Amino acid sequence: MSTTKKLQSKASRKKKWGDITLQVVMTIVAILFLVPVFIIFNYSFKTKKELYLGNAFALPQSVNFDNYAAAYKKLNLGTTFFNTLLYTVISVLILALVCGMTAWAIARCKRRFFQFSYIYFIVGYLIPYEDWSLSELQERTALVQEFDRLADAIVSAGIETAETHEVVEEIFYEPVSKKCFA
Amino acid sequence: MGRKKLTGSMDRQYLLLVLPGLIVFTIGIIIPMFLGLFYSITDRDGMSAQKTFVGLKNYLDLFRDSATRDAWWFTIRFTVWNTILQNVFALLFAVALDSGIRAQKLYRTALFIPCLISALIVGFIWLRMYSNVLPSINEMLGTEINFLLFGSKDTVLTGLLIANNWQWIGYWMMIYLAGLQSIPADLHEAAKIDGAGPVKRFFNVTCPMLAPSFTVCIVGITTGSLKVYDLLVASTRGGPGRASTSIIYQTYTTAINGRQFGYGSAMSISLVIVLLLVALVQVKILKKREIQV
Amino acid sequence: MRFNNKTARILQLGSIRAIFSSWAYVRLYGNLGLLAEIPGEYVSRVLDAASVNVTVDGKVEGLVFNALYQGVYYNRAMFKENGWSVPETQADLQKIIDDCKAKGITPFASHMVDTWSIGNVTMQFMMNDVFNKDASWGDEFRGGTKSFAEDAAAQTAYQYNKLIFDNTFEDTFSLQQTDCDARMVNGEAAMKVSGSWSIQNFLDIDESFDFGIFPFPNQSGDSKLIFEPNITVMASAKSDKQDAINCFLDVLTGDQDLATQIYDFTKTASMLKDVAPTFENPSQSDIDKYAAEDRVVDVTLGNNQLVWGGFQEENAKDIAAWLLGDMSFEDCLKASDARVGTSSAS
């Protein structure tokens, strides 16, 4: 009885040491990973003189938000942030919808066309988008805007139809013959 | 049963679901790619309206141009090292976090934060780290370690690898973590009962079950590394000299600064072909190892 | 540079009237026939030296509004303290370099991690050693009569880079521009071959830093201070609103208060006759001195002969590789020769 107890405690002691070293190692790793972020955060409060002439790890003399104010002005943060937000929300909605639909269809339907479209889409992921120049981007945006206008036209036509027509439900009964016994 | 059940209307409905994606995709990516293909056999300089056909001369020049060959060599080295390092560390950290230590969520967040920053900022941060922050450790501790990794062509790859891995390890770690947590616990129990130690269990139970995660991570890391650009623009700008110019960086400089649009298009088409081949080969090999549970 | 093709196409359509741009494009667009001639009334309000290089086929097609100066910035207080005078010849410069090293001061501040800085100083060197003797060196280069491998003057210009590299910070290939300027202000270096973009950096770190500028000495001892036209106004040839353009040009060149405001805001040097900026620039006295002696030269000449993008920029990368020992000097020259195809904009 006592030997099993000893063996058990030995195993659990080993496990405990293993756990502790793992904990320590992961803590160090996490700290190392966060250090650059904190340093940049630190930098954001320093004045130009402190940045160039002082030690990199030193804390700023005073917490002043001058840099943030300057960044806000230069980036025109109000407008650009709103634009980015709008763009992100819309993209996420569209992507979630379209990708969800497409992926479901490709996964469910085993026909060759859909397998081909799977590869087709993968190919697109590989192409780096930085290869576009500004003018090409413009041409593409113009196309999208055309599509936009078309979509608007369709939607307004749809709304018109809905307003001038009424939806009526009718129930039909169809005679069906079923075999009850084999 | 299978094919006969699919009526025409069901087919049409499936098609309808796929169509929006296909259309947007074609307009946005495939058509420009063909345009690029077209430009790659011309002499276009991006400004004058005329383009003269030069056939495959651009592609032949690609092989002769030593700057492009160097760019490819750098990109390949960067990709290989990245794939190895990021995979190994992401897997190690995922296993470490999955083994039931405390404050797991805290570590996950800490490691994941860098991938939320854009590559441009990451380049900016690490440029400052190497030239300002880390050397001041030398001042404080009185040591003489050389932290100026972006200053010489022998160390610039190391510097960039550190920066890139810092950014992305957390991301792939999450994928491995998800994969690890989807391994049914009874497989581990069964292996334990059979007397397998942790290392044996890792290689014979965990790794095979992680095969789908391997596929995603390896393909993702490889294609992402082959496309490295933002990081370089913000940190080394291809330097010192040309030591850290990636193939995309070379394409951009040639096509835009050097005004050789046709040649640049040929370069980017060659990159697309390589990416395609690499991805297809990887997917083929890795998919074979996957077990559908 | 990314907007080249877009701007060219817009000019072709005539949909914008005039554009603020940079000197380089006058040649580019002028050669494509896209620009209209600037009326002589406004051209006469600009310094003559400024209109030389915006003339296409004898017609002035660009109005140079302001410029940036490039040369060697030096720490005036340090020069006075050590009894150095502004060097006119390479021998004078070498004396200052030796004296610096004896006193533990780094002669030159540089940040060669920025390959563009190498390209920039190389063009400064070529202006005073190659283009002052031969204004069409670039055309001859393309014609095959001149080459980097054979021309001693061009090689001298490249070799000046080595002179700087041997006498600058050890970590110049890892040094940020701002840190480099900080060290200069701190007194760790005596001189920096640069341009007026450094002025703001210097003053940001220390408002009382006293510095001057002199042209880098050449082989013949007669180097001129280099200026680079900055904002250049061009008009579209196809535009139908010529009077609106004229009105705009009139205000731009005629209203001296407005001009001064613009110069102060952009911290650039004036190209209008009788107008000078009033922002603080310790090197202004040196600039005025050289301008009065007519010892100034427009770098557009060099930049038109050998363009920046695709040529100067790529050569700079080879020079960096050579300085770091990764490439031999001969290979560096050969690579520059091999790029002859992209050395011109037309």
Side-chain angles (χ1 to χ4, degrees):
Chain A
M1 189 82 100
S2 55
T3 33
T4 38
K5 247 202 184 154
K6 256 207 221 149
L7 282 168
Q8 265 181 357
S9 62
K10 198 166 176 203
S12 62
R13 244 187 292 142
K14 245 181 132 180
K15 186 166 182 282
K16 209 169 155 217
W17 274 115
D19 268 353
I20 291 184
T21 40
L22 207 57
Q23 199 90 27
V24 167
V25 165
M26 286 313 288
T27 314
I28 297 180
V29 166
I31 291 180
L32 284 179
F33 263 71
L34 286 181
V35 158
V37 180
F38 279 131
I39 292 197
I40 295 297
F41 192 62
N42 200 15
Y43 268 27
S44 69
F45 292 112
K46 291 190 180 177
T47 63
K48 257 192 183 166
K49 272 204 208 151
E50 282 174 14
L51 270 175
Y52 304 139
L53 301 175
N55 188 312
F57 284 106
L59 291 173
Q61 304 278 45
S62 61
V63 176
N64 66 340
F65 289 92
D66 285 347
N67 290 330
Y68 285 98
Y72 190 91
K73 243 188 285 175
K74 229 183 184 172
L75 290 173
N76 197 359
L77 212 54
T79 319
T80 53
F81 184 70
F82 175 69
N83 286 345
T84 312
L85 196 63
L86 195 65
Y87 162 80
T88 310
V89 167
I90 295 183
S91 314
V92 169
L93 285 175
I94 295 181
L95 279 174
L97 194 63
V98 174
C99 294
M101 290 183 347
T102 317
W104 190 87
I106 291 182
R108 296 297 278 185
C109 187
K110 298 298 174 199
R111 313 207 84 192
R112 238 179 298 148
F113 172 69
F114 293 89
Q115 302 307 315
F116 156 75
S117 27
Y118 177 60
I119 310 269
Y120 189 58
F121 283 119
I122 299 281
V123 165
Y125 169 69
L126 301 174
I127 300 177
Y129 62 84
E130 291 99 2
D131 280 353
W132 299 351
S133 73
L134 200 65
S135 58
E136 291 171 336
L137 204 58
Q138 259 197 332
E139 289 162 15
R140 252 154 263 160
T141 345
L143 201 62
V144 173
Q145 283 171 335
E146 271 303 318
F147 182 70
D148 242 340
R149 259 165 265 160
L150 192 66
D152 279 340
I154 295 178
V155 167
S156 50
I159 294 179
E160 256 191 76
T161 326
E163 284 178 347
T164 54
H165 293 71
E166 258 185 27
V167 178
V168 173
E169 200 178 295
E170 272 191 60
I171 302 178
F172 293 97
Y173 285 99
E174 253 187 43
V176 171
S177 47
K178 281 184 89 173
K179 240 188 191 171
C180 292
F181 297 102
Chain B
M1 264 267 267
R3 283 194 74 171
K4 281 222 178 110
K5 266 237 164 163
L6 286 174
T7 60
S9 76
M10 273 184 77
D11 255 0
R12 244 178 289 131
Q13 286 181 14
Y14 275 122
L15 203 64
L16 215 60
L17 288 175
V18 175
L19 225 47
L22 273 178
I23 293 179
V24 171
F25 187 77
T26 310
I27 295 179
I29 297 189
I30 298 300
I31 290 186
M33 185 175 80
F34 279 111
L35 268 178
L37 200 62
F38 172 65
Y39 289 148
S40 69
I41 52 174
T42 69
D43 204 13
R44 187 160 179 257
D45 67 358
M47 269 189 306
S48 46
Q50 34 104 304
K51 325 172 190 84
T52 50
F53 277 98
V54 290
L56 291 176
K57 170 172 173 295
N58 281 333
Y59 288 96
L60 292 177
D61 281 343
L62 276 179
F63 288 104
R64 281 187 234 130
D65 183 6
S66 71
T68 310
R69 280 205 305 264
D70 289 340
W72 270 115
W73 180 229
F74 170 79
T75 314
I76 290 174
R77 281 188 307 160
F78 184 75
T79 307
V80 168
W81 278 111
N82 243 355
T83 312
I84 299 176
L85 288 172
Q86 268 177 43
N87 265 311
V88 166
F89 279 108
L91 190 55
L92 280 178
F93 289 155
V95 167
L97 288 186
D98 192 44
S99 66
I101 58 174
R102 290 188 263 166
Q104 193 205 62
K105 290 227 168 77
L106 219 68
Y107 296 130
R108 266 170 37 189
T109 321
L111 293 178
F112 190 69
I113 284 181
C115 76
L116 301 171
I117 311 175
S118 81
L120 270 168
I121 311 286
V122 171
F124 175 88
I125 292 179
W126 281 93
L127 187 59
R128 302 277 174 296
M129 287 286 289
Y130 289 132
S131 55
N132 289 348
V133 175
L134 293 178
S136 54
I137 295 184
N138 277 337
E139 280 173 32
M140 296 197 307
L141 300 179
T143 50
E144 285 277 322
I145 316 174
N146 174 33
F147 283 118
L148 302 171
L149 294 180
F150 284 159
S152 122
K153 79 168 199 306
D154 300 314
T155 55
V156 71
L157 183 65
T158 316
L160 287 170
L161 283 173
I162 294 179
N164 194 267
N165 279 285
W166 174 78
Q167 184 183 10
W168 289 111
I169 285 183
Y171 182 79
W172 305 112
M173 176 191 77
M174 295 299 256
I175 296 191
Y176 278 131
L177 211 54
L180 280 173
Q181 284 168 353
S182 73
I183 300 178
D186 38 339
L187 284 177
H188 279 291
E189 291 300 324
K192 256 193 245 179
I193 291 175
D194 283 347
V199 176
K200 247 211 166 134
R201 257 187 293 136
F202 179 72
F203 282 107
N204 293 353
V205 176
T206 318
C207 280
M209 294 301 289
L210 274 183
S213 309
F214 270 127
T215 317
V216 169
C217 288
I218 292 185
V219 174
I221 297 176
T222 312
T223 47
S225 310
L226 284 168
K227 295 196 279 184
V228 64
Y229 176 72
D230 291 0
L231 188 66
L232 300 174
V233 162
S235 53
T236 63
R237 259 176 277 146
R242 263 183 254 274
S244 66
T245 307
S246 75
I247 187 63
I248 291 202
Y249 195 85
Q250 177 70 6
T251 311
Y252 234 7
T253 349
T254 317
I256 305 215
N257 294 2
R259 297 173 315 277
Q260 293 174 296
F261 236 61
Y263 190 47
S265 298
M267 246 188 261
S268 64
I269 294 288
S270 67
L271 175 66
V272 170
I273 294 177
V274 169
L275 281 170
L276 254 176
L277 287 174
V278 166
L280 284 174
V281 165
Q282 281 184 330
V283 169
K284 269 239 137 63
I285 295 183
L286 292 169
K287 274 246 177 264
K288 275 203 215 134
R289 299 192 54 211
E290 283 185 26
I291 310 169
Q292 292 291 352
V293 182
Chain C
M1 278 297 237
R2 221 173 276 200
F3 292 79
N4 282 355
N5 33 356
K6 175 182 172 200
T7 321
R9 283 191 221 154
I10 290 179
L11 278 174
Q12 276 171 332
L13 294 171
S15 61
I16 57 171
R17 322 296 171 217
I19 44 178
F20 271 104
S21 185
S22 123
W23 56 264
Y25 303 121
V26 179
R27 267 297 154 90
L28 226 46
Y29 301 139
N31 281 334
L32 296 172
L34 298 170
L35 299 179
E37 187 180 0
I38 308 278
E41 179 189 349
Y42 311 121
V43 175
S44 62
R45 295 186 191 158
V46 173
L47 290 176
D48 295 330
S51 301
V52 169
N53 284 304
V54 290
T55 311
V56 181
D57 296 331
K59 291 188 282 181
V60 178
E61 298 190 344
L63 191 99
V64 179
F65 186 65
N66 58 0
L68 303 163
Y69 275 93
Q70 299 175 12
V72 186
Y73 284 95
Y74 67 98
N75 188 335
R76 242 199 225 122
M78 191 190 286
F79 266 54
K80 216 191 286 184
E81 213 180 287
N82 290 293
W84 302 325
S85 54
V86 168
E88 301 276 336
T89 65
Q90 279 289 311
D92 294 339
L93 187 63
Q94 190 60 45
K95 257 191 272 167
I96 297 182
I97 292 177
D98 294 333
D99 210 12
C100 277
K101 286 162 97 165
K103 299 205 167 96
I105 306 173
T106 314
F108 288 105
S110 68
H111 48 100
M112 291 189 175
V113 67
D114 293 320
T115 323
W116 61 260
S117 72
I118 299 182
N120 173 268
V121 307
T122 309
M123 179 44 80
Q124 289 191 36
F125 301 149
M126 291 194 73
M127 282 306 293
N128 278 318
D129 265 298
V130 175
F131 289 111
N132 59 347
K133 312 270 178 350
D134 183 356
S136 50
W137 194 93
D139 296 328
E140 290 165 27
F141 175 53
R142 282 179 283 281
T145 47
K146 285 264 159 60
S147 75
F148 280 93
E150 318 254 302
D151 189 11
Q155 289 172 19
T156 315
Y158 273 30
Q159 287 284 355
Y160 288 147
N161 279 305
K162 189 140 200 332
L163 178 67
I164 299 197
F165 181 64
D166 290 337
N167 294 301
T168 186
F169 305 124
E170 266 193 46
D171 55 352
T172 179
F173 272 98
S174 306
L175 194 59
Q176 287 300 292
Q177 179 178 280
T178 37
D179 294 326
C180 166
D181 291 343
R183 289 193 197 176
M184 171 110 179
V185 171
N186 246 357
E188 291 174 41
M191 305 172 271
K192 184 186 183 209
V193 188
S194 179
S196 27
W197 51 85
S198 293
I199 298 179
Q200 193 51 46
N201 276 343
F202 291 150
L203 295 176
D204 272 344
I205 299 171
D206 183 0
E207 310 84 39
S208 58
F209 182 52
D210 189 17
F211 55 92
I213 188 172
F214 64 81
F216 192 85
N218 61 357
Q219 294 292 310
S220 38
D222 60 354
S223 52
K224 296 190 180 166
L225 196 62
I226 297 172
F227 71 87
E228 179 186 6
N230 185 238
I231 296 180
T232 312
V233 184
M234 300 170 248
S236 166
K238 295 229 176 67
S239 162
D240 50 355
K241 296 275 196 324
Q242 193 58 38
D243 16 307
I245 300 181
N246 286 352
C247 185
F248 168 72
L249 291 172
D250 193 26
V251 167
L252 196 65
T253 53
D255 188 342
Q256 298 198 340
D257 284 330
L258 174 67
T260 318
Q261 272 185 23
I262 299 181
Y263 295 140
D264 285 346
F265 181 70
T266 55
K267 304 263 180 8
T268 50
S270 159
M271 283 283 121
L272 293 180
K273 294 180 180 162
D274 310 317
V275 180
T278 55
F279 68 93
E280 192 202 330
N281 180 1
S283 60
Q284 188 68 39
S285 53
D286 282 341
I287 295 177
D288 293 336
K289 183 181 75 158
Y290 287 107
E293 291 170 20
D294 197 28
R295 276 183 69 182
V296 291
V297 68
D298 187 349
V299 75
T300 317
L301 174 69
N303 284 326
N304 275 342
Q305 288 285 304
L306 300 172
V307 297
W308 174 258
F311 191 72
Q312 282 187 50
E313 200 181 8
E314 298 295 315
N315 290 346
K317 293 188 194 163
D318 290 329
I319 295 178
W322 159 54
L323 290 175
L324 283 169
D326 298 332
M327 197 188 233
S328 74
F329 190 49
E330 290 74 34
D331 285 339
C332 178
L333 296 169
K334 257 191 256 167
S336 301
D337 282 331
R339 266 185 213 109
V340 63
T342 50
S343 66
S344 156
S346 38

